[in-house]
Amino acid sequence: MKSSVIVFPGSNCDRDIAVALEKFQINNQMVWHNETNLPKSDLVILPGGFSYGDYLRTGCIASKSRIMHDIIKHANGGGLILGICNGFQILIEIGLLPGVLLRNKKLRFVSKNVYLKVINIENQFCLSCVKKNIIELPIAHNEGNYFADDKILQNLEDNNLIAFKYCDEKGNISNNSNPNGSSNNIAGILNNSKNILGMMPHPERLIDPILSGEDGSMIFESLLKSQ
Amino acid sequence: MKISATVTLKKDVLDPQGKVVSQTLKNMGYKSVINVRQGKYFEIELNEADKEKAKKIVEEISKKLLTNIIIEDYTINLE
Amino acid sequence: MKITPEIIDKHGIKPDEYKKIISLIGKKPNLLELGIFSAMWNEHCSYKSSKKYLKTLPTKNKKVIQGPGENAGVVDIGDNDAIVFKIESHNHPSYIEPYQGAATGVGGILRDIFTMGARPIATLNSIHFGNHEHSKTKNLLNGVVSGIGGYGNCIGIPTVGGEVKFDSSYNENILVNAMAVGLVKKNKIFYSKAKGINKPVIYIGSKTGRDGIHGASMASVEFDKNAEEKKPTVQVGDPFTEKLLLEACLELMKDDSIISIQDMGAAGLTSSSVEMAAKGNLGIEINLDKVPCREEKMTPYEMMLSESQERMLLILNSEKVENAKKIFKKWELDFSIIGKTTSSKNLVLNFNGKEVANLPLSSLSTDVPVYDRKWRKSIVPKKINSRKDFKSFKIIDSLKKILMSPNNSEKSWIWEQYDQTVMGDTVQKPGGDSAVVRIHGKNKGVAITVDSSAHYCLANPMVGGKQVVCEAWRNLISVGANPIAITNCLNFGNPEKDKIMGQFVESIDGISQACTYLDFPVVSGNVSFYNETQNKAISPTPTIGAVGVIKNLDYMLTKNFKEVGSYILVVGKTLGHLHQSEFFREVVKINDGPPPEVNLFNEKNNGTFIQTLISKKLLNSVHDISSGGILVALSEMCIFGKIGAKIKIPQDSISPHEYLFAEDQSRYLIEVNNKNKDEVSKILEKNGIFYEVIGKTQRDSLDLYKEFDIKLNNLYKLNSFWFKNYFKEN
């Protein structure tokens, strides 16, 4: 499997995701935002961080990068795209995913481990979660509060396009287990053709037992399996 | 009565956001853009019919809450 | 412009200092030159009140590569790896504008790290606020925490530890001390000493504006009632630009283009150009027309004293300039050749074709006066028999009160606002005895802690200074690290007052004694004086940041209890010292008396054998005993591990209150399973280490024989109540 990680000025988690891809032996290239051509890739990753400092609107300025043209082509051709945290925000600004990511309800940055229920296992990012569908991953964000109008939310629910929802360690989905006020506790969503996943939590940060867990590995294992 | 207030950074204070927006516009082809400063706009609806009184209230609100007087200025716009 | 006595005074220069300036330079300085002296001769840049005593600190050991005198300290951690670290204050600006003051404090310390070629891998902070009921405290706390998070999170460096303290001595003078740690290859360290004549001097980073003019001078003046009027001097941080600057510098540092490099911090272009040239015993000539300016019609005075953030000064090899320019263009940063090194040994500034300043560099560096300020010893409080009957306070109520107090509450409300895991190498997050960050790509780790004990220092500055170094040392040992060196941020009041200067001198003496004995030298740091308002000074607050190495992370330990049915031991003797303890201060309300004594022999001995036990994998968990004594340390091990304990006080020579709440030093709580208990006892006994078994771990609750029994859930609720309640989030 070949992947490309897009690096924007201000991306911070590009190295972290590159380390994860290397660990799972996915052939990766780092691609600077200003390039016009995307190298041949099966998977494109928009990493986490603060592209352009989150200035103006988070993900907004990155969405105007030169490389976007090729990324949209890749998406329309059925290529896989994974947007993590800031990457999810960028996918929304480009228009490849619906809705908007607002400021966390408590108006504070939140960095901690949370539990997620894997709602849709039948996509190329989550196949491995069939063995464990309540996973623990870290979140670290200021604007993770997913919001969309009722029509969009209904569509997401009805068509099984929600990948993850925030839950407690037993899998119960409630206000108490919602760290940022997201509608329907949404933590990650897929597009209609299920080749694009946008998620707020960081799977690349939990791939090592010494870092308190390995649930993030399942995302990468799924991608390898899906080849 | 609706009165709006605009809050902007003081003249000599660095505006990191404005700086990036300006650069992005130039990169997008808007070569005639020289500089951009970013601020905030507040629209305040008051239950007060007297224009002068309303203006005074918004002045006070601006000073006490809306503006960080250390690095920001405000202007009141009457509709 | 005529230089009047009033103008000289406004520049913070005393009449006798002015006379000395004239004698050093052989002329009367013009306004620009006066401004330059004002920046370089003030306390913050010159250390004129503290230098004499800072020189007495131990600064070397086998692992120190660079001690004080550079942008940061550097220590060798093996395999060609080195750790670069420093702590610095940003107190006065944070009181005026807490968000930006704290943010730019973080920005400044990070630049000190990457200017040496190190990629920053962690930040920590020690922040002190007034009494929680004081009108300004909540806003200041919120602003500072948001500012630290706003900057650190954006630039993508994890904030992994710190401390937050509340005390009324900080009511009008908060403290914000920011620490940063970076990783570098030993053979790839960059220094600030200029070398070579006629080499290009290059300005990189953000444009220069009118920010913070005279910020360094502000740090050297007490606040008066009109602190508000000092407003315009606060700078705004731009963490996005700093991230670009970080990446651009590290990219340029891959080869040998850079001869020397320094960040522009306090006193901006003035201090960086003067220090680089003076260290290299060279001259420097700057053409101010070439300085990239953000505002129109900036004067030389403004350009030289501006404290605009996110800027560095480089001296490059001439052939490498074009390539360097390309790198900074890619990262969209300003790059301007503003001058060159010369053989003159002078600072020469040109503007609009004219020479506007010409000063011998020695007058701004080596000839800056060093003062031997008058000082008097603190009156050491004698231990007095308490008038209050402290034994009448119920032990369980006392424990609850301490666990619910702002200083002892669990602080995740604060540190969850900081990204602790970006960069994927945070092995121990905030809340433990030390943070641990993995060396990227290896199974080795660096342990980091930051500590202060202001109330001990107020009671007895010498003992307090000793104690805080020992506590940092213990905190590193507790996670399985081998302590290497420290950085210190010395926060005090006005040194022109003999009582304050005495606190400074005696704290340094204490720090020095402990550092020497423990082979734990000072490699960097800073001094912040004048932390007082209307004659009320802060308690003397030396803050110690310390670093240690864990060679193999398989041997790292944490403080949470690991299994039910294991033994709990107290290592080190409990004498029962209650003065200056949390029990006395929070519960009984006795604030006087001496702090606990520090016996360096026991400190070293006990710690060394804890290390032996850890190296033999004989321990389940370790926690050092400090604030609150045995009972609070034990509660923390239970809460963190979600495993309780059943304990009984093992002796009756001192009262239960004295045993449980004393803050005697050099002690640890350890958890040992059944299998290892005999061997642990053997090793401790063989080496004359005093220890006592106080009980065993159990499920669900903490039981103290014949005293109380409390469910862990309740303990947790009490300990995590305060911050949520303060910010009304229950």
Side-chain angles (χ1 to χ4, degrees):
Chain A
M1 173 170 259
K2 286 208 186 82
S3 69
S4 290
V5 172
I6 316 297
V7 182
F8 302 95
S11 292
N12 290 326
C13 309
D14 45 319
R15 187 186 81 167
D16 300 352
I17 191 85
V19 165
L21 293 165
E22 194 188 308
K23 180 171 183 189
F24 289 91
Q25 290 160 337
I26 295 175
N27 223 322
N28 181 50
Q29 258 191 309
M30 307 303 275
V31 179
W32 186 236
H33 71 109
N34 221 12
E35 301 289 337
T36 27
N37 296 320
L38 185 70
K40 197 166 187 305
S41 324
D42 304 299
L43 168 68
V44 167
I45 300 185
L46 302 177
F50 279 71
S51 59
Y52 296 95
D54 271 6
Y55 295 157
L56 191 61
R57 284 189 314 277
T58 143
C60 160
I61 296 179
S63 71
K64 309 269 180 271
S65 301
R66 285 234 293 244
I67 195 74
M68 283 305 149
H69 181 256
D70 259 25
I71 290 179
I72 294 171
K73 234 169 86 184
H74 170 91
N76 292 338
L80 295 171
I81 304 187
L82 172 60
I84 301 171
C85 199
N86 190 218
F88 184 8
Q89 292 158 344
I90 296 171
L91 286 170
I92 284 184
E93 281 282 339
I94 305 172
L96 286 173
L97 288 174
V100 72
L101 283 161
L102 302 171
R103 260 189 97 177
N104 295 343
K105 193 163 170 203
K106 287 191 180 153
L107 301 180
R108 288 201 307 266
F109 190 94
V110 60
S111 169
K112 61 181 187 180
N113 282 10
V114 294
Y115 289 101
L116 303 167
K117 186 139 190 209
V118 186
I119 309 285
N120 178 329
I121 299 182
E122 290 141 22
N123 60 76
Q124 292 171 279
F125 305 92
C126 302
L127 296 169
S128 286
C129 299
V130 68
K131 48 183 172 168
K132 183 181 182 188
N133 75 337
I134 297 170
I135 63 176
E136 189 184 359
L137 288 182
I139 56 170
H141 56 246
N142 233 334
E143 280 102 352
N145 179 354
Y146 184 79
F147 177 80
D149 62 34
D150 290 334
K151 216 169 123 195
I152 295 176
L153 286 177
Q154 200 58 50
N155 181 54
L156 291 172
E157 295 275 6
D158 293 344
N159 292 306
N160 199 12
L161 297 176
I162 299 174
F164 309 104
K165 284 192 182 182
Y166 300 110
C167 64
D168 68 16
E169 55 193 331
K170 297 203 176 95
N172 299 318
I173 297 167
S174 70
N175 275 339
N176 278 340
S177 59
N178 188 334
N180 53 31
S182 268
S183 306
N184 299 13
N185 281 36
I186 288 172
I189 58 172
L190 298 149
N191 65 338
N192 284 326
S193 351
K194 302 200 182 95
N195 58 316
I196 303 176
L197 168 63
M199 60 191 290
M200 284 315 292
H202 289 263
E204 77 282 11
R205 291 192 194 180
L206 227 62
I207 52 169
D208 200 324
I210 203 177
L211 299 178
S212 80
E214 287 186 281
D215 284 352
S217 307
M218 289 192 272
I219 309 292
F220 302 99
E221 283 162 3
S222 305
L223 286 163
L224 282 174
K225 240 196 219 171
S226 73
Q227 277 300 93
Chain B
M1 167 104 35
K2 259 197 207 152
I3 300 189
S4 63
T6 311
V7 175
T8 50
L9 285 168
K10 285 191 158 115
K11 188 177 144 305
D12 283 345
V13 175
L14 174 71
D15 179 7
Q17 303 212 48
K19 183 172 126 189
V20 170
V21 171
S22 170
Q23 190 57 48
T24 305
L25 289 171
K26 288 183 191 136
N27 291 345
M28 285 168 79
Y30 296 99
K31 305 285 179 207
S32 57
V33 169
I34 300 175
N35 194 28
V36 174
R37 304 274 290 172
Q38 181 170 316
K40 290 180 241 187
Y41 174 78
F42 297 91
E43 200 176 79
I44 300 156
E45 202 173 330
L46 296 163
N47 185 6
E48 172 56 71
D50 183 329
K51 213 175 199 179
E52 281 312 306
K53 281 197 185 146
K55 185 164 177 242
K56 234 179 151 198
I57 293 171
V58 175
E59 287 257 5
E60 213 180 291
I61 291 173
S62 301
K63 272 190 230 163
K64 279 199 176 159
L65 183 66
L66 304 180
T67 311
N68 177 342
I69 50 172
I70 297 185
I71 48 176
E72 291 174 328
D73 287 326
Y74 67 90
T75 34
I76 314 278
N77 321 308
L78 290 166
E79 302 281 301
Chain C
M1 178 195 242
K2 189 163 188 294
I3 311 288
T4 64
E6 200 189 280
I7 290 181
I8 296 169
D9 182 66
K10 274 221 163 97
H11 278 80
I13 292 175
K14 307 262 153 71
D16 55 307
E17 288 176 334
Y18 187 68
K19 279 203 192 105
K20 179 148 194 221
I21 288 172
I22 294 178
S23 77
L24 282 171
I25 65 177
K27 61 175 183 178
K28 284 196 179 147
N30 62 32
L31 184 65
L32 169 58
E33 291 167 336
L34 186 67
I36 291 170
F37 275 103
S38 146
M40 297 309 294
W41 279 41
N42 71 46
E43 194 63 59
H44 192 85
C45 286
S46 68
Y47 291 83
K48 58 192 175 188
S49 301
S50 55
K51 221 177 202 160
K52 173 175 171 175
Y53 297 97
L54 294 177
K55 283 203 167 111
T56 66
L57 291 167
T59 57
K60 293 192 169 65
N61 74 11
K62 277 195 225 125
K63 302 212 166 89
V64 172
I65 295 173
Q66 173 65 52
E70 258 294 338
N71 287 292
V74 187
V75 295
D76 187 343
I77 59 165
D79 299 328
N80 199 27
D81 290 321
I83 292 288
V84 177
F85 67 108
K86 187 179 181 187
I87 189 170
E88 222 177 47
S89 62
H90 221 225
N91 304 334
H92 296 80
S94 299
Y95 186 80
I96 291 176
E97 213 312 299
Y99 183 99
Q100 293 298 344
T104 50
V106 172
I109 192 72
L110 286 173
R111 283 195 303 278
D112 280 333
I113 302 301
F114 68 82
T115 197
M116 299 196 70
R119 179 172 284 282
I121 59 173
T123 64
L124 294 87
N125 49 73
S126 170
I127 54 185
H128 304 246
F129 300 92
N131 186 291
H132 65 278
E133 285 170 344
H134 184 70
S135 59
K136 298 200 171 107
T137 296
K138 195 181 279 191
N139 254 1
L140 288 169
L141 174 59
N142 228 346
V144 165
V145 171
S146 304
I148 291 172
Y151 207 99
N153 298 340
C154 182
I155 195 178
I157 294 161
T159 303
V160 298
E163 53 165 18
V164 182
K165 300 269 175 90
F166 297 89
D167 184 271
S168 49
S169 85
Y170 308 111
N171 277 354
E172 310 291 336
N173 287 89
I174 64 171
L175 300 183
V176 173
N177 296 167
M179 177 179 179
V181 176
L183 177 65
V184 72
K185 284 289 177 209
K186 244 170 80 171
N187 56 355
K188 269 278 164 183
I189 300 172
F190 289 81
Y191 297 96
S192 58
K193 183 165 130 168
K195 280 185 229 157
I197 296 176
N198 258 327
K199 299 289 180 189
V201 172
I202 300 178
Y203 167 125
I204 53 171
S206 263
K207 294 197 195 322
T208 298
R210 297 192 168 94
D211 326 58
I213 288 176
H214 276 308
S217 309
M218 181 176 68
S220 306
V221 167
E222 290 176 38
F223 284 151
D224 55 28
K225 277 186 292 237
N226 302 317
E228 287 289 286
E229 279 163 23
K230 294 206 192 292
K231 294 177 240 164
T233 57
V234 173
Q235 313 91 310
V236 167
D238 181 356
F240 170 58
T241 297
E242 181 123 323
K243 165 74 175 175
L244 303 180
L245 189 59
L246 163 66
E247 296 301 335
C249 286
L250 291 180
E251 201 174 310
L252 184 59
M253 283 162 167
K254 286 191 179 143
D255 65 24
D256 57 359
S257 306
I258 297 179
I259 297 173
S260 59
I261 174 171
Q262 168 128 340
D263 83 299
M264 292 192 221
L269 186 51
T270 294
S271 58
S272 48
S273 53
V274 166
E275 284 168 16
M276 286 176 95
K279 276 184 197 157
N281 208 13
L282 294 170
I284 186 166
E285 188 176 311
I286 298 179
N287 181 358
L288 292 171
D289 299 282
K290 298 287 188 193
V291 170
C293 288
R294 185 175 88 217
E295 307 295 344
E296 283 184 14
K297 300 211 184 80
M298 284 190 68
T299 64
Y301 184 95
E302 291 171 327
M303 284 187 236
M304 287 306 286
L305 295 181
S306 163
E307 290 188 350
S308 294
Q309 301 289 293
E310 293 98 24
R311 302 175 299 160
M312 319 273 272
L313 201 60
L314 309 174
I315 296 175
L316 282 187
N317 277 314
S318 318
E319 343 63 90
K320 306 282 189 169
V321 170
E322 279 316 303
N323 184 47
K325 210 175 187 175
K326 279 198 201 113
I327 293 177
F328 285 87
K329 184 157 188 253
K330 167 185 162 193
W331 290 98
E332 294 186 29
L333 295 164
D334 275 274
F335 179 100
S336 176
I337 304 172
I338 64 167
K340 59 181 183 191
T341 52
T342 66
S343 55
S344 72
K345 309 224 177 136
N346 285 356
L347 169 71
V348 174
L349 304 175
N350 299 315
F351 184 66
N352 275 344
K354 290 199 220 110
E355 184 180 282
V356 290
N358 191 329
L359 296 168
L361 282 163
S362 52
S363 69
L364 300 166
S365 54
T366 45
D367 289 339
V368 180
V370 174
Y371 292 134
D372 187 357
R373 300 233 186 248
K374 251 178 54 192
W375 64 277
R376 63 174 155 97
K377 262 175 137 14
S378 285
I379 300 167
V380 174
K382 292 210 173 48
K383 212 171 192 175
I384 43 182
N385 276 326
S386 161
R387 288 142 287 154
K388 294 195 190 170
D389 178 17
F390 62 82
K391 295 179 197 173
S392 67
F393 290 84
K394 277 187 87 174
I395 290 175
I396 182 62
D397 293 339
S398 305
L399 174 64
K400 284 182 182 175
K401 197 154 191 208
I402 296 172
L403 289 178
M404 286 182 81
S405 64
N407 282 323
N408 297 288
S409 286
E410 148 330 289
K411 299 188 172 67
S412 60
W413 186 94
I414 290 186
W415 51 259
E416 281 181 356
Q417 295 186 56
Y418 308 143
D419 190 342
Q420 319 108 31
T421 56
V422 62
M423 293 180 83
D425 284 322
T426 305
V427 181
Q428 264 204 66
K429 296 189 210 179
D433 284 323
S434 296
V436 177
V437 177
R438 178 172 55 184
I439 302 299
H440 194 64
K442 300 190 177 167
N443 197 31
K444 191 164 80 172
V446 59
I448 321 165
T449 180
V450 69
D451 297 284
S452 66
S453 314
H455 56 292
Y456 285 175
C457 292
L458 181 65
N460 184 330
M462 195 275 284
V463 171
K466 246 200 275 185
Q467 186 279 340
V468 65
V469 172
C470 292
E471 184 168 333
W473 196 77
R474 276 201 304 277
N475 276 329
L476 295 176
I477 300 249
S478 297
V479 297
N482 194 29
I484 302 181
I486 69 169
T487 178
N488 57 21
C489 188
L490 305 169
N491 305 278
F492 289 76
N494 183 341
E496 297 169 58
K497 300 183 179 162
D498 58 4
K499 175 174 166 203
I500 304 293
M501 195 62 200
Q503 292 172 340
F504 183 76
V505 173
E506 296 197 278
S507 301
I508 293 231
D509 182 20
I511 292 170
S512 199
Q513 287 182 43
C515 287
T516 305
Y517 195 91
L518 297 171
D519 189 23
F520 202 28
V522 179
V523 296
S524 59
N526 96 319
V527 176
S528 171
F529 276 131
Y530 299 96
N531 293 289
E532 51 181 87
T533 297
Q534 298 187 298
N535 259 321
K536 276 197 270 192
I538 58 166
S539 296
T541 313
T543 306
I544 303 292
V547 146
V549 144
I550 302 177
K551 280 211 187 99
N552 181 338
L553 284 170
D554 297 347
Y555 288 79
M556 183 190 75
L557 281 180
T558 53
K559 75 184 192 194
N560 43 306
F561 280 141
K562 304 294 185 305
E563 60 183 280
V564 168
S566 43
Y567 288 93
I568 306 170
L569 278 63
V570 175
V571 173
K573 194 161 169 61
T574 302
L575 303 167
H577 186 102
L578 285 177
H579 285 280
Q580 298 303 333
S581 67
E582 293 303 289
F583 174 59
F584 260 23
R585 288 159 54 85
E586 287 288 344
V587 182
V588 185
K589 304 288 188 207
I590 294 176
N591 283 323
D592 51 14
E597 268 307 315
V598 180
N599 179 319
L600 290 172
F601 174 81
N602 285 343
E603 194 69 68
K604 189 166 184 179
N605 215 22
N606 294 352
T608 304
F609 285 98
I610 295 286
Q611 285 186 301
T612 303
L613 298 175
I614 292 175
S615 70
K616 291 182 192 288
K617 289 207 166 180
L618 294 171
L619 304 180
N620 278 0
S621 48
V622 182
H623 186 21
D624 91 300
I625 298 174
S626 55
S627 184
I630 289 173
L631 198 53
V632 170
L634 184 63
S635 304
E636 289 170 355
M637 294 177 90
C638 291
I639 294 171
F640 260 79
K642 300 192 181 150
I643 289 176
K646 190 177 182 128
I647 62 166
K648 183 176 172 191
I649 296 173
Q651 52 82 58
D652 55 15
S653 53
I654 54 177
S655 70
H657 290 78
E658 286 165 302
Y659 188 82
L660 296 167
F661 294 117
E663 291 182 11
D664 299 291
Q665 299 293 297
S666 324
R667 297 177 301 154
Y668 300 79
L669 268 173
I670 58 176
E671 179 198 355
V672 185
N673 66 23
N674 285 316
K675 193 177 98 203
N676 294 324
K677 166 127 183 325
D678 288 339
E679 199 178 340
V680 168
S681 305
K682 221 166 77 187
I683 293 174
L684 293 174
E685 279 158 25
K686 194 165 140 203
N687 291 287
I689 308 290
F690 185 91
Y691 75 95
E692 293 160 316
V693 178
I694 61 166
K696 286 183 122 178
T697 55
Q698 64 171 15
R699 267 179 241 284
D700 291 339
S701 62
L702 173 60
D703 293 10
L704 173 57
Y705 183 68
K706 283 197 179 158
E707 274 290 337
F708 67 78
D709 172 336
I710 182 167
K711 285 253 178 283
L712 293 184
N713 265 341
N714 287 340
L715 263 184
Y716 176 69
K717 279 197 193 121
L718 294 168
N719 194 225
S720 58
F721 173 80
W722 195 86
F723 281 89
K724 287 186 219 153
N725 182 56
Y726 190 57
F727 290 99
K728 300 207 172 19
E729 284 176 12
N730 271 331

